[in-house]
Amino acid sequence: MINKDRMPVHVAVIMDGNGRWAKKRGLPRLAGHNAGMKAMKKIVDHSDKLGIRYLTVYAFSTENWKRSIAEVSGIFRLLVSYVNSDLQELVRNNVRVKILGDYSELPEDAVRSLEKTLEKTKDNTGLQFNIALNYGGRDELRRAVQSLAFKVRNGQLAPEDITEDLISAELFTGSINADTPDPELIIRTSGELRLSNFLLWQSAYSELVFPDVLWPDFTPEEYEKAIEDFQSRERRFGGR
């Protein structure tokens, strides 16, 4: 059983396996994304019940634009549907939604729905639910470096004064909420063993768990198994 006194404060999830889930069942890929959206809702709810303070999910990467127009359009339609149908529940459950990434490049209806959700949940004080949309770890670092370089060029900052904390503050996680801690636990479903350009700076000391289950089949019970795995480890941060 999980130890409620040793819960990770911040959990991040790479929701992988929607396409393979659909293929195994002879269904179109979009059916897998729809099932994955339902799984995400359950994990958001369960994170709230477990007392986790921050949950970050990798919903759409900067590389996902390479997929077919039909699949990309379908993903955003599902996102709009999820936001519109669950907004009242998010508000009722005191969940605050934040976006990591440049969501301005998304379709107009998706942007409107997201901005409505951000506005409606901005004063909530419970679970902070970060959705990584049009997000890439290298792009995030590039933007942070550019911002610091502009400040140096304008005389606002000396190069020798650039610290890790200043870099962190320029990242999406720092800009949406300066108090957002790095994730202690990163979960990637489907058995793939890589980060895929996700939270590259923030994951320096994260514990990684790779359940061999496709995302649509990732239940709250599987979630708790991953947390149990995390709790069984001794975190040393480079020490002995």
Side-chain angles (χ1 to χ4, degrees):
M1 289 183 60
I2 59 174
N3 183 343
K4 289 292 187 69
D5 295 326
R6 297 186 58 233
M7 296 297 294
V9 175
H10 184 178
V11 177
V13 184
I14 302 172
M15 306 181 295
D16 192 23
N18 291 344
R20 277 168 284 170
W21 183 92
K23 185 177 180 180
K24 281 175 62 176
R25 290 159 176 77
L27 299 170
R29 289 180 62 86
L30 201 56
H33 293 306
N34 187 44
M37 203 70 75
K38 293 177 181 177
M40 182 182 75
K41 181 180 183 301
K42 291 177 183 176
I43 297 307
V44 173
D45 291 343
H46 206 58
S47 296
D48 191 31
K49 290 173 183 174
L50 291 173
I52 290 168
R53 297 293 299 158
Y54 302 85
L55 174 68
T56 301
V57 299
Y58 204 5
F60 191 85
S61 76
T62 49
E63 289 77 29
N64 286 157
W65 292 106
K66 299 173 185 175
R67 299 183 180 185
S68 72
I69 294 174
E71 183 176 358
V72 170
S73 299
I75 289 171
F76 291 136
R77 283 198 303 273
L78 286 172
L79 177 64
V80 171
S81 176
Y82 166 75
V83 168
N84 289 342
S85 64
D86 284 53
L87 178 55
Q88 291 307 314
E89 184 175 350
L90 291 170
V91 172
R92 188 167 56 250
N93 291 337
N94 200 27
V95 174
R96 178 169 55 173
V97 177
K98 295 286 187 177
I99 306 297
L100 307 185
D102 183 7
Y103 69 89
S104 66
E105 297 183 14
L106 272 57
E108 194 173 314
D109 57 341
V111 172
R112 283 198 304 268
S113 292
L114 289 170
E115 289 184 340
K116 179 181 178 182
T117 301
L118 293 174
E119 177 63 26
K120 291 283 188 179
T121 66
K122 68 179 182 180
D123 295 323
N124 290 349
T125 57
L127 171 71
Q128 180 171 304
F129 178 34
N130 302 324
I131 308 174
L133 282 168
N134 195 27
Y135 171 89
R138 287 184 174 183
D139 179 62
E140 180 180 39
L141 287 166
R142 175 187 63 80
R143 291 168 184 265
V145 170
Q146 282 184 337
S147 178
L148 291 169
F150 285 135
K151 290 178 180 178
V152 170
R153 187 180 66 181
N154 295 335
Q156 299 169 265
L157 183 67
E160 61 270 21
D161 292 333
I162 296 174
T163 63
E164 290 188 9
D165 286 343
L166 278 179
I167 295 171
S168 293
E170 294 289 346
L171 300 175
F172 286 123
T173 42
S175 62
I176 60 169
N177 183 351
D179 296 327
T180 302
D182 292 338
E184 295 105 314
L185 170 61
I186 295 179
I187 301 167
R188 180 177 185 143
T189 57
S190 86
E192 299 290 348
L193 309 178
R194 58 183 180 274
L195 287 175
S196 294
N197 202 19
F198 183 54
L199 300 179
L200 299 180
W201 175 273
Q202 300 91 331
S203 64
Y205 283 103
S206 301
E207 297 294 329
L208 309 179
V209 176
F210 300 102
D212 192 18
V213 56
L214 301 175
W215 174 249
D217 295 326
F218 191 72
T219 61
E221 291 74 26
E222 292 288 344
Y223 189 29
E224 291 195 11
K225 287 181 189 177
I227 294 173
E228 283 183 50
D229 188 341
F230 164 81
Q231 291 181 340
S232 71
R233 302 181 187 183
E234 182 182 353
R235 305 188 71 211
R236 297 182 180 179
F237 302 95
R240 297 184 61 183

